[in-house]
Amino acid sequence: MHAESAASQEMRIKGLAVSQGIAIGPAFPFGSGIQDVRPHEVAAAEVEAEVQRLTQAIENAKSELTRIGEETQERLGERSAEIFEVHILILDDPEIRGAAIRRIREERLNAEWLFLQVVEKYEQSFSHFKDEYMRARATDLQDVKRRVIRQLQGAAKSPGDGLPGPAVVFAADLMPSETIHLRRDYVLGFATELGSRTSHAAILARSLKVPSVVGLGPVCQYLVPGTPVILDGYSGQLILNPAPETLERYEKTRSLYEALSHKLARSRTLPARTKDGKDIELSANIEFFEEVQPAIADGAIGVGLYRTEYLFLMRDELPTEEEQYAEYVRIIDALHRQPIIFRTFDLGGDKAQRHFHVHQEANPFLGYRGVRLYSEREEVFRMQLRAILRASVRGRVRILIPMISSVAEMRFCRGVLESVKEELRAAAIPFDEEIPVGAMIEVPSAAVSADLIARECDFLSIGTNDLIQYTLAVDRSNRYVDQMYRAFSPSVLRLIRDTIHHGHAQGVWVGMCGEMASDPLATMALIGMGLDEFSVSPVSLLVIKDIIRRVHFDECENLAERVLSYSTADEVENYLSSVFRRKFRDLIIHDPNHPLVRREQN
Ligand code: PEP
Ligand code: MG
C-alpha cells in the first residue's frame, strides 16, 4: 500500500481495544518528523560515548523491527513481513553504519546529524533510479532513518510534542513514561503498532480517558500526517479515510455512548449500595493529581490505588522527600478527608527503573520488581515512607505494598515502617500513628497463603493484572498470548475467592484494584464472593456503581457459587454474558462493537 491510496480510500485495520471511546480526527504519526535534527559538536572525550549511543540506537531500532516483523508475519503472512527484514538488513549494512561511526570520530558531531547525512546520501541516489523497485528502497531508507533518529532522540521527544492541533497519535509502541506526557487536551486517541491490554501504557490510557487501540501492526509508515481516521476503542477498529456514511454511523454511536454516560451520571452522588442494603466501597485508581477531582466528581469515595511510581517515572532524578511530600499533600488535600491508598513505588517489569542500578533481565516481570527493590535500596523506600507518613496527618492515608510474595517481605516492610516512625517521633514530626498497612495480593504464593499474610496486615488488595499473569504464566504485555490471559479462568477465580475468605477469617477487609474490578461482567460475581472494596479505572466508576445499585447481595452469592462451579473460562464468560444481557440490556449500546457483544463473538 502507498500513502496515496491511504489518502483516499476507506481502509480498516483491526487491533486490540484497550481504552474505551471513539476518537475522530486527523492522524499524527509520532516520530515521523525529524526536522529538528541539528548538528552540534561533541567534546573529544565524549566521542566514543556518541559512537556507543548510535550503536545502541541502531540495535534498539533493530529489535523494534524484529518485533513488528514477527507480529506482521503472524497477522498478515510472511510476504508482508519481508519488508522488515529489508529494513534490518539496511541497519546491518556495514557501509551505512561504518560511515556514520567514522564520521562521528572524524568530524566530532552528534550521532543524529551524521546518521541523517549518511542515510540521506543513499536515499537521494536511490530516488533517482528509473526502476520502481530501486526507488522503493529510498522509502525504506527513510523509514529506517526515522526509526534510528527517534531512538536517538529517545525520551527527549514524547508523543504529542509538536502536535499541530487535536489529533489521533500513532506510534510504534508507547512506554508508560511516554504515555504520561500525552497532552490530554490535544491527544484525541492513541494507536500503536505493538502493545497489549494490560500493559501499563494501556492502563494509563484508560486513566487518562483517551480512546486507544494497540497491536495494529505496521501502520505508521502508511500514514500521511493529517489523514482522517476513526479510532474505535470499543472494538479495536482503526478506520483510515472513513467514507461519509461510516463517519455518520460512528458519530451516532459516539452520541449513544455519551447519552448513556449522562444517564449513569445521575447516580454519581448516590451510595454504591446493593438493593438489599450492602455497602460496597467504590474508589478509583489514579496515577496523577489531575485525576483526583474528576474521579470524586464521578462518585468515587476515595482512591483505592495511587500508583506512586509514576512520580518516579516522570523525572530523570529520584524525587526528593520534599518533592514527594508536596505532591502527596496536594493529592490528600484534594480528597477532603476521603481515604487514599498509597501504593509504595512498584518499579521494574514494564516500568523502567532508570533510577536504580539496572540489571539486564531476561524476564523482568519475574525479576527485580516492586518490594524486591526495597531491601537493596532501603534508603529510597525509607524516604518515600517518611514523605507518606508526614503527609498522613492531613487526611485518611493507607499504605499498600506491591508484589508481596511472602510473609518475610511483609515483615521486612513493617520493620522499616516502624523504624521510620521512630525517627519521626524522635524529631517530633507528627504522623498518623494508626496508619493502616496492606499487602497487594498479586502473586499466586501470596494468594495461597493469604491467611498468613493477612495476619501481618490491616487489609488486602487483590491485583488481578499481575495475579492473572502469574497464575496462568501469561505475560500481561505480550500480545501473542493475549488470548490466554483470562480473568475468568477457574484457577484465578478460586484464588480470588480464597483470598477474600482468608482475609475475612483474619478480620481484615479485602479489596481489588486490578482491572478486573472495572469489568462490568465481573461485578456481580465479586460482590457475591464478598469483596469489600472495588477500586476501578475512573472511566468505569459510573457503570460499576450502576450495577451494584441494581442487584441483591443474595442473588450475587448464588451467581458466584455457580460461576465457581464451572470448569473453563469460556463457560464462566458465557454464563455471565447471558445474565448481563438479561439484567443490564440498557447498558449495552446496540452496536456490534460493544465489548460484551464482541466477547461473545470471539
Ligand atoms: C495489578 O497488578 O492488578 C495492579 C493493580 O498493579 P499494576 O497493574 O500496577 O501492576
Ligand atoms: Mg501489579
Side-chain angles (χ1 to χ4, degrees):
M1 182 181 54
H2 298 287
E4 301 86 74
S5 64
S8 50
Q9 274 171 0
E10 174 168 313
M11 194 180 125
R12 288 167 186 250
I13 303 174
K14 184 85 172 66
L16 290 171
V18 295
S19 177
Q20 296 179 7
I22 292 169
I24 301 177
F28 178 79
F30 164 59
S32 61
I34 50 169
Q35 59 276 43
D36 53 349
V37 175
R38 299 258 184 280
H40 63 77
E41 275 180 35
V42 172
E46 299 295 322
V47 164
E48 283 317 303
E50 195 65 4
V51 167
Q52 180 51 32
R53 207 164 70 81
L54 176 64
T55 315
Q56 190 57 52
I58 292 177
E59 288 311 312
N60 292 349
K62 273 170 59 187
S63 352
E64 197 173 87
L65 283 164
T66 309
R67 280 189 296 153
I68 300 176
E70 284 165 4
E71 282 187 12
T72 311
Q73 177 158 351
E74 190 201 339
R75 294 165 64 99
L76 305 172
E78 209 165 309
R79 297 245 7 215
S80 309
E82 277 168 8
I83 186 73
F84 299 104
E85 280 167 32
V86 174
H87 288 191
I88 292 174
L89 284 176
I90 295 175
L91 283 173
D92 274 334
D93 186 330
E95 283 198 35
I96 292 182
R97 191 192 274 244
I101 291 176
R102 196 180 56 249
R103 286 185 63 176
I104 294 176
R105 288 188 175 129
E106 285 169 11
E107 298 172 38
R108 292 192 193 158
L109 293 173
N110 53 320
E112 288 89 337
W113 176 254
L114 291 176
F115 188 74
L116 190 81
Q117 303 308 307
V118 170
V119 179
E120 281 185 351
K121 206 175 102 207
Y122 285 92
E123 220 176 287
Q124 271 166 17
S125 43
F126 278 113
S127 62
H128 290 127
F129 275 100
K130 284 216 166 52
D131 180 88
E132 199 181 328
Y133 175 83
M134 293 308 271
R135 278 208 313 275
R137 301 285 70 82
T139 320
D140 291 337
L141 280 164
Q142 229 176 57
D143 195 289
V144 161
K145 175 183 75 185
R146 286 176 181 160
R147 266 189 210 280
V148 173
I149 288 177
R150 190 164 61 83
Q151 287 292 340
L152 282 165
Q153 290 174 333
K157 267 196 105 36
S158 58
D161 281 358
L163 271 185
V168 180
V169 174
F170 285 75
D173 198 2
L174 280 179
M175 291 283 124
S177 54
E178 291 175 324
T179 320
I180 54 183
H181 291 293
L182 290 173
R183 285 202 40 199
R184 276 160 265 181
D185 46 344
Y186 266 41
V187 179
L188 299 175
F190 80 76
T192 64
E193 297 180 340
L194 300 164
S196 75
R197 252 183 264 274
T198 47
S199 58
H200 281 97
I203 290 173
L204 265 183
R206 281 193 285 277
S207 273
L208 299 170
K209 295 193 180 168
V210 177
S212 337
V213 175
V214 302
L216 284 158
V219 63
C220 292
Q221 59 184 333
Y222 304 136
L223 279 174
V224 179
T227 305
V229 300
I230 297 175
L231 189 70
D232 179 349
Y234 296 104
S235 71
Q237 283 275 357
L238 164 70
I239 305 169
L240 305 177
N241 300 304
E245 44 303 352
T246 312
L247 204 57
E248 199 183 317
R249 195 160 49 77
Y250 266 93
E251 270 160 1
K252 203 162 136 218
T253 308
R254 189 163 63 172
S255 51
L256 284 175
Y257 277 109
E258 275 165 14
L260 176 63
S261 90
H262 275 115
K263 192 178 123 206
L264 294 177
R266 284 193 222 125
S267 41
R268 57 161 64 117
T269 54
L270 300 174
R273 180 178 295 150
T274 63
K275 278 181 133 168
D276 46 350
K278 183 174 165 58
D279 281 315
I280 305 283
E281 254 190 68
L282 180 61
S283 47
N285 293 346
I286 64 154
E287 285 78 29
F288 314 104
F289 165 77
E290 290 80 4
E291 291 167 276
V292 175
Q293 184 44 41
I296 299 301
D298 272 355
I301 58 100
V303 170
L305 173 68
Y306 168 28
R307 290 182 166 98
T308 61
E309 59 274 11
Y310 283 91
L311 198 61
F312 292 62
L313 287 166
M314 282 169 79
R315 288 173 166 69
D316 290 332
E317 304 291 325
L318 275 173
T320 63
E321 181 183 323
E322 288 315 310
E323 280 170 334
Q324 292 187 54
Y325 174 72
E327 185 64 4
Y328 299 163
V329 163
R330 203 155 80 107
I331 292 180
I332 296 169
D333 286 355
L335 278 162
H336 302 294
R337 300 205 66 80
Q338 282 167 290
I340 172 164
I341 297 180
F342 277 74
R343 181 180 66 190
T344 51
F345 63 89
D346 181 15
L347 293 167
D350 63 343
K351 283 175 284 192
Q353 22 153 344
R354 71 193 122 113
H355 308 292
F356 300 97
H357 170 67
V358 182
H359 305 280
Q360 265 304 338
E361 295 181 296
N363 296 302
F365 273 121
L366 296 182
Y368 198 53
R369 186 189 167 195
V371 68
R372 298 171 184 188
L373 275 67
Y374 298 176
S375 52
E376 197 175 318
R377 298 303 303 270
E378 196 180 313
E379 79 288 0
V380 183
F381 183 43
R382 293 181 79 89
M383 183 162 73
Q384 181 173 43
L385 291 176
R386 267 181 76 94
I388 299 174
L389 283 170
R390 283 172 55 204
S392 68
V393 288
R394 304 179 74 105
R396 288 164 60 200
V397 175
R398 300 159 180 167
I399 294 176
L400 179 62
I401 313 290
M403 281 292 289
I404 288 289
S405 62
S406 70
V407 166
E409 282 167 344
M410 201 58 216
R411 287 190 182 153
F412 167 78
C413 293
R414 293 210 78 131
V416 175
L417 181 69
E418 279 317 308
S419 131
V420 175
K421 282 183 173 178
E422 201 45 61
E423 229 173 67
L424 292 175
R425 280 187 208 109
I429 298 173
F431 62 91
D432 177 4
E433 286 278 356
E434 304 300 318
I435 195 162
V437 182
M440 283 204 68
I441 303 295
E442 53 184 344
V443 176
S445 63
V448 297
S449 56
D451 53 336
L452 305 178
I453 291 177
R455 283 186 211 151
E456 315 284 325
C457 296
D458 302 301
F459 67 94
L460 302 177
S461 185
I462 305 174
T464 48
N465 305 340
D466 280 310
L467 187 60
I468 298 166
Q469 84 160 340
Y470 295 131
T471 303
L472 303 176
V474 172
D475 180 345
R476 67 191 267 184
S477 54
N478 180 346
R479 71 173 307 277
Y480 295 119
V481 288
D482 201 72
Q483 295 300 323
M484 295 171 211
Y485 186 93
R486 305 290 294 269
F488 293 105
S489 74
S491 51
V492 173
L493 293 171
R494 286 174 184 207
L495 288 180
I496 295 171
R497 172 198 62 191
D498 294 350
T499 301
I500 299 171
H501 169 76
H502 287 311
H504 287 173
Q506 297 302 322
V508 305
W509 62 266
V510 183
M512 178 180 285
C513 58
E515 291 295 305
M516 191 174 180
S518 308
D519 186 346
L521 216 52
T523 315
M524 285 184 74
L526 295 173
I527 296 175
M529 288 185 209
L531 194 71
D532 302 290
E533 181 236 27
F534 287 61
S535 190
V536 307
S537 293
V539 71
S540 304
L541 281 162
L542 293 171
V543 70
I544 300 298
K545 169 146 6 133
D546 189 64
I547 295 172
I548 294 172
R549 290 182 56 80
R550 288 164 67 174
V551 298
H552 282 92
F553 181 55
D554 56 359
E555 74 174 318
C556 294
E557 279 186 313
N558 293 338
L559 177 134
E561 202 178 310
R562 177 137 174 207
V563 157
L564 283 158
S565 73
Y566 289 119
S567 319
T568 68
D570 280 343
E571 285 167 16
V572 175
E573 283 193 19
N574 287 340
Y575 169 62
L576 290 176
S577 296
S578 69
V579 174
F580 198 94
R581 286 171 159 280
R582 193 160 27 82
K583 284 187 74 74
F584 306 109
R585 181 89 249 165
D586 56 310
L587 295 180
I588 304 174
I589 300 286
H590 204 72
D591 182 292
N593 293 328
H594 190 280
L596 277 175
V597 181
R598 206 167 18 95
R599 206 195 297 247
E600 280 184 358
Q601 283 166 349
N602 280 341

